[in-house]
Amino acid sequence: MIVYVYDGGFQGLLTAIFEAFARKQDVVKLTGESRFEPGFFDTSVRVRTESAKAERVWLGLQKKIGVEGQQRFYKAFLSEQAEVLQHLFKYAQYVFRNPDGYAENYGNDDVLAMAQAAQKVHREKHRMEAFVRFKKHQNGLFMATIYPDFNVLPLICQHFKDRYADQPWVIYDERRDYGIYYNGSTICEVVLASKPRALTEQDVMETGLDSHELLYTTLWKDYFQSTNITERKNKKLHLQHVPKRYWRYLTEKMA
Amino acid sequence: MEERIQEKLKILADAAKYDVSCTSSGSNRKNDGKGIGDTGSGICHTYTEDGRCVSLLKILLTNYCIYDCAFCVSRSSNDIKRAAFTVEEVVSLTMNFYRRNYIEGLFLSSGIFRDADYTMERMLRIVKKLRLEENFHGYIHLKTIPGASEDMVTEAGLYADRMSINLEMPTEVGLKLLAPDKSHTEVKRELGVIRAKTVQFDDERKLIKSTPRFVPAGQSTQMVIGATAETDRDIMQTADQYYKAFSLKRVYYSGYIPISTDNRMPIIGTPPPLIRENRLYQTDWLIRLYGFDVQEILNETHQHLDLDVDPKLSWALRNFHLFPIDINTAEYRLILRVPGIGIRSAQKIVAARRFGKLRIDQVKKIGISYNKAQYFIRCVDTPFQLNERDEQTVKQLILRTSQSKYLKNQFQQLSLF
């Protein structure tokens, strides 16, 4: 088996697709550098990421599957799952090899896997648009930490920029240890020196939160209780919509 | 002061929670770049323990009310704590919740104090302050106060994304029984005012592009289910009429939760009719999105929806002679009618079959509920069934393998003889 080892980035993936095409190597296993373990019977090829090659593949994809298709492809990539990346690789080969329109053949494993992975990531993106909880700090900065299943910060930044155009904010992905910061006009990526934690009541006393922050936290928790109809209690549905792994980051679910 | 606002919020959120609507989609208000907020596809920010979504800050301006509607928790004869927000308090709560990404916007309703216009005028002041002073572009759902003047309602429509007024009971008879002061005629009048204005604004926009949007997310209404004796057919016929006459975006069905000892209604402690409510919503979906006519599902011989199976399956079993259909050749609208196949799956099937005949494993992967659908479809590799099953057998087979929460230990034992 031929194994392509690439840097794990999006451009790297596109370059790998380019190389496979150029070398006419159809059956290829794709591995990120960090996960690479040489196998006895494998021939490994190091893919050196080249933006020019990646660009050509990206434009080629656009011609085949349109801008919407590209977006889905990118979303699926952000799932960061090895098997999805393998499907993406084969998906690209499949659409390049076939006439236009085959990107809609959901009877094909790779086409379906791409669509389903993109949908999963899209759901997590949507969930994070819902589950971000800002806390206002004394300096006026609105700060939130999240721990999403997939790498969705690149997908949500535009939403938050459009919506909270008049306030500075930070959304920090604890799992991947980076965040996005909006200063009132532009967005940039940040890595914090001291890592933030999901804030507990105790932290509130210690950190530099705005003097009204505790009031609104309380009001929100109260509201969350008051708007519930106890006669209709449905814990299963509640957990389905708000899985426990997100609770640490949700103001209304904190103790 | 802080304690007072805390208490008010508790009272006025509690009183507003029986309004079901929490939609925050369907509008397209954009941030102008320096303001705050926008609307789009709608976001449910959290879910309460009853499994309902929290999208908007849903509150009453006040729960003081001059009316005494038997089904309403805020009725004037009810001995409960009363409170009223000031305009500033509602604005400040909305803005501070919104800035923390708790909510998509505001859902504002109110008890009627003094008279309709007096109440409506307060509500109008709140929306205007949000839009004009706070530069707020988030979602606003405003309840129309029955009896408010046309001018006031029209002005509110320029600032709200959605407006609604509740039918309360599915029929005029039911409403008169429990709320003699209210009438469907008044509801129709107000829905009609907004509908006419929407059409007028849309027409003007065709000529003058800068014409403002009027209630861009449309109108909705709500009916209480199970407080009075209406059949499911009554309910869905009413819904269907209102959808058609007023181009409503949604009709909501709210299972009655007993809150009163009034002997005209179910007694306190009666569990809310959750399954029935769920079946009504499913029917609503079939009518709005799946191309069903209400008559096909509910008619003279079928006045009530089945509780043990969903309305689509129920319809399919009653029309068993129309099946099985061939997934590889049937029209899209017929595939939509197969139990266990939703809109997305139907679209994928129609897209995929152009590239080759579909097999069972493929349609399973596409995401249909094969457990249900298998008795109604044929794929290219579906084996021939020698002795044809009848609809009763199929129903029992589906129920036995179903995991529906409603069906635990409920399916009927097959009779041996």
Side-chain angles (χ1 to χ4, degrees):
Chain A
M1 176 82 101
I2 303 164
V3 179
Y4 277 19
V5 186
Y6 76 116
D7 61 7
F10 191 57
Q11 294 223 329
L13 172 71
L14 295 175
T15 310
I17 293 165
F18 183 94
E19 296 295 349
F21 222 77
R23 295 164 198 231
K24 296 197 167 61
Q25 289 169 326
D26 287 347
V27 187
V28 167
K29 198 177 150 210
L30 203 61
T31 310
E33 259 158 23
S34 54
R35 291 199 181 107
F36 177 52
E37 289 168 19
F40 194 74
F41 299 101
D42 296 340
T43 323
S44 62
V45 177
R46 294 238 160 225
V47 176
R48 223 163 39 95
T49 301
E50 288 179 46
S51 53
K53 289 178 179 173
E55 185 79 359
R56 274 182 67 186
V57 172
W58 191 231
L59 285 175
L61 270 175
Q62 189 179 79
K63 280 191 195 123
K64 280 285 184 184
I65 60 177
V67 175
E68 261 178 53
Q70 277 182 314
Q71 278 169 357
R72 270 188 286 164
F73 188 87
Y74 181 54
K75 277 183 190 168
F77 167 78
L78 292 175
S79 72
E80 300 173 323
Q81 290 171 344
E83 65 275 15
V84 172
L85 297 174
Q86 189 69 47
H87 279 303
L88 285 180
F89 184 78
K90 286 168 73 183
Y91 168 84
Q93 288 181 324
Y94 179 78
V95 293
F96 281 133
R97 205 173 290 137
N98 283 297
D100 289 358
Y102 272 68
E104 282 191 79
N105 180 12
Y106 297 103
N108 174 285
D109 274 352
D110 300 311
V111 173
L112 190 63
M114 196 281 265
Q116 286 172 343
Q119 186 60 34
K120 260 191 191 167
V121 174
H122 180 79
R123 237 175 260 140
E124 186 71 355
K125 161 196 180 271
H126 191 70
R127 210 176 242 163
M128 285 307 126
E129 287 170 355
F131 286 175
V132 159
R133 295 286 178 267
F134 287 120
K135 292 205 176 269
K136 191 180 181 188
H137 288 250
Q138 275 164 5
N139 56 6
L141 183 70
F142 285 80
M143 177 86 197
T145 46
I146 56 175
Y147 197 84
D149 291 348
F150 309 119
N151 183 15
V152 294
L153 278 186
L155 298 175
I156 63 174
C157 55
Q158 191 61 42
H159 167 81
F160 282 97
K161 187 182 174 208
D162 289 344
R163 175 163 291 199
Y164 300 108
D166 72 343
Q167 68 187 37
W169 49 260
V170 171
I171 302 172
Y172 205 81
D173 181 342
E174 273 196 329
R175 187 188 286 230
R176 291 161 192 82
D177 198 18
Y178 81 107
I180 45 176
Y181 166 56
Y182 173 74
N183 61 9
S185 56
T186 49
I187 289 186
C188 60
E189 208 174 297
V190 287
V191 176
L192 294 185
S194 64
K195 287 180 191 162
R197 290 161 297 143
L199 293 168
T200 61
E201 295 291 343
Q202 207 181 357
D203 293 327
V204 174
M205 315 305 285
E206 295 162 10
T207 52
L209 285 177
D210 183 85
S211 57
H212 290 307
E213 191 52 41
L214 191 58
L215 170 68
Y216 287 108
T217 303
T218 314
L219 287 173
W220 174 241
K221 284 181 175 176
D222 285 351
Y223 175 71
F224 182 70
Q225 292 304 330
S226 304
T227 199
N228 176 47
I229 300 180
T230 39
E231 292 90 336
R232 297 181 62 110
K233 185 171 175 165
N234 190 344
K235 194 83 181 184
K236 195 178 154 202
L237 191 58
H238 172 65
L239 287 176
Q240 186 184 318
H241 287 305
V242 192
K244 275 196 175 148
R245 62 181 183 280
Y246 299 106
W247 286 16
R248 310 181 41 211
Y249 301 87
L250 291 172
T251 312
E252 66 274 17
K253 295 303 287 182
M254 285 177 203
Chain B
M1 147 71 193
E2 288 188 0
E3 277 164 26
R4 185 68 193 128
I5 187 107
Q6 218 177 324
E7 194 188 3
K8 280 188 191 180
L9 180 62
K10 277 184 184 167
I11 295 171
L12 295 169
D14 187 83
K17 71 187 176 187
Y18 299 101
D19 245 305
V20 186
S21 169
C22 78
T23 311
S24 56
S25 62
S27 197
N28 59 349
R29 210 173 282 279
K30 295 279 168 264
N31 197 334
D32 55 10
K34 278 300 126 206
I36 177 160
D38 55 12
T39 64
S41 51
I43 297 174
C44 302
H45 282 271
T46 189
Y47 292 79
T48 39
E49 287 199 346
D50 50 21
R52 300 191 311 155
C53 108
V54 180
S55 171
L56 305 170
L57 170 63
K58 196 184 288 179
I59 47 174
L60 298 189
L61 176 56
T62 176
N63 63 342
Y64 287 104
C65 193
I66 54 173
Y67 287 111
D68 198 33
C69 309
F71 55 83
C72 180
V73 72
S74 304
R75 63 189 180 279
S76 57
S77 64
N78 203 14
D79 182 23
I80 48 163
K81 274 192 183 171
R82 306 272 169 178
F85 278 126
T86 64
V87 171
E88 286 70 25
E89 282 167 342
V90 175
V91 170
S92 158
L93 267 177
T94 309
M95 293 310 294
N96 276 292
F97 277 14
Y98 195 86
R99 288 193 178 281
R100 287 163 178 79
N101 204 45
Y102 296 163
I103 52 169
E104 285 295 287
L106 175 67
F107 177 113
L108 187 63
S109 180
S110 185
I112 298 160
F113 54 113
R114 209 175 298 179
D115 61 55
D117 271 352
Y118 185 85
T119 312
M120 195 73 202
E121 192 264 336
R122 290 285 138 109
M123 295 169 77
L124 189 55
R125 261 166 56 196
I126 290 171
V127 275
K128 283 176 83 168
K129 197 171 162 77
L130 278 170
R131 293 285 191 228
L132 303 176
E133 288 176 33
E134 299 289 336
N135 212 352
F136 175 73
H137 305 283
Y139 195 92
I140 296 179
H141 180 150
L142 204 60
K143 288 290 285 290
T144 314
I145 299 300
S149 72
E150 187 169 335
D151 286 352
M152 205 90 82
V153 173
T154 308
E155 194 180 359
L158 291 170
Y159 302 102
D161 293 283
R162 167 168 289 185
M163 292 182 74
S164 67
I165 180 163
N166 289 350
L167 283 166
E168 311 294 8
M169 294 298 146
T171 57
E172 184 88 49
V173 180
L175 185 65
K176 282 286 172 221
L177 177 72
L178 299 178
D181 300 330
K182 291 196 172 170
S183 75
H184 280 186
T185 318
E186 174 56 25
V187 173
K188 279 181 189 160
R189 185 187 71 84
E190 304 237 10
L191 288 172
V193 167
I194 305 261
R195 178 71 200 134
K197 287 283 173 197
T198 308
V199 172
Q200 184 195 328
F201 272 71
D202 285 350
D203 284 347
E204 281 174 26
R205 199 171 309 105
K206 281 174 200 151
L207 300 173
I208 308 159
K209 253 196 141 183
S210 61
T211 307
R213 298 214 159 256
F214 187 80
V215 197
Q219 301 192 82
S220 62
T221 192
Q222 170 173 317
M223 294 184 252
V224 174
I225 303 308
T228 42
E230 287 90 355
T231 63
D232 290 346
R233 183 183 178 218
D234 294 334
I235 295 165
M236 291 315 303
Q237 271 184 346
T238 303
D240 193 47
Q241 279 165 18
Y242 278 81
Y243 272 126
K244 285 176 181 152
F246 301 103
S247 305
L248 295 188
K249 287 288 190 282
R250 287 290 302 275
V251 173
Y252 293 93
Y253 312 91
S254 169
Y256 177 68
I257 296 158
I259 39 146
S260 143
T261 51
D262 193 314
N263 59 12
R264 288 169 292 179
M265 291 177 298
I267 56 164
I268 288 183
T270 311
L274 296 183
I275 304 173
R276 184 177 182 203
E277 184 190 287
N278 180 244
R279 296 293 180 231
L280 288 166
Y281 275 113
Q282 288 174 320
T283 309
D284 186 280
W285 250 254
L286 292 181
I287 292 166
R288 282 189 301 128
L289 305 170
Y290 285 78
F292 279 87
D293 188 280
V294 70
Q295 287 293 332
E296 295 180 86
I297 302 168
L298 290 161
N299 47 47
E300 196 59 47
T301 42
H302 300 278
Q303 304 255 355
H304 278 284
L305 297 165
D306 288 337
L307 291 183
D308 57 351
V309 292
D310 66 80
K312 199 194 207 184
L313 178 56
S314 171
W315 172 84
L317 290 169
R318 291 206 305 264
N319 294 278
F320 207 60
H321 58 281
L322 300 175
F323 298 99
I325 61 159
D326 188 337
I327 216 77
N328 284 302
T329 55
E331 272 181 73
Y332 172 72
R333 61 176 190 87
L334 291 179
I335 295 181
L336 264 189
R337 290 183 164 231
V338 175
I341 299 186
I343 293 174
R344 276 180 192 233
S345 300
Q347 285 169 344
K348 281 204 176 101
I349 287 169
V350 174
R353 69 187 184 184
R354 289 185 288 141
F355 304 95
K357 298 229 178 235
L358 295 175
R359 302 180 308 267
I360 295 172
D361 66 303
Q362 288 174 307
V363 294
K364 274 186 184 170
K365 268 194 201 157
I366 279 175
I368 72 168
S369 168
Y370 190 72
N371 174 40
K372 270 188 214 170
Q374 58 179 321
Y375 307 106
F376 302 95
I377 56 170
R378 296 190 56 77
C379 301
V380 72
D381 57 343
T382 302
F384 273 103
Q385 186 78 33
L386 278 179
N387 38 356
E388 277 195 13
R389 297 193 184 94
D390 64 20
E391 55 266 38
Q392 273 313 315
T393 319
V394 167
K395 182 174 176 179
Q396 293 307 327
L397 281 169
I398 291 174
L399 284 184
R400 204 173 310 160
T401 47
S402 159
Q403 287 170 355
S404 163
K405 62 187 163 180
Y406 304 124
L407 298 173
K408 275 181 198 140
N409 313 320
Q410 265 184 21
F411 65 83
Q412 285 168 354
Q413 191 80 37
L414 268 178
S415 64
L416 282 171
F417 305 102

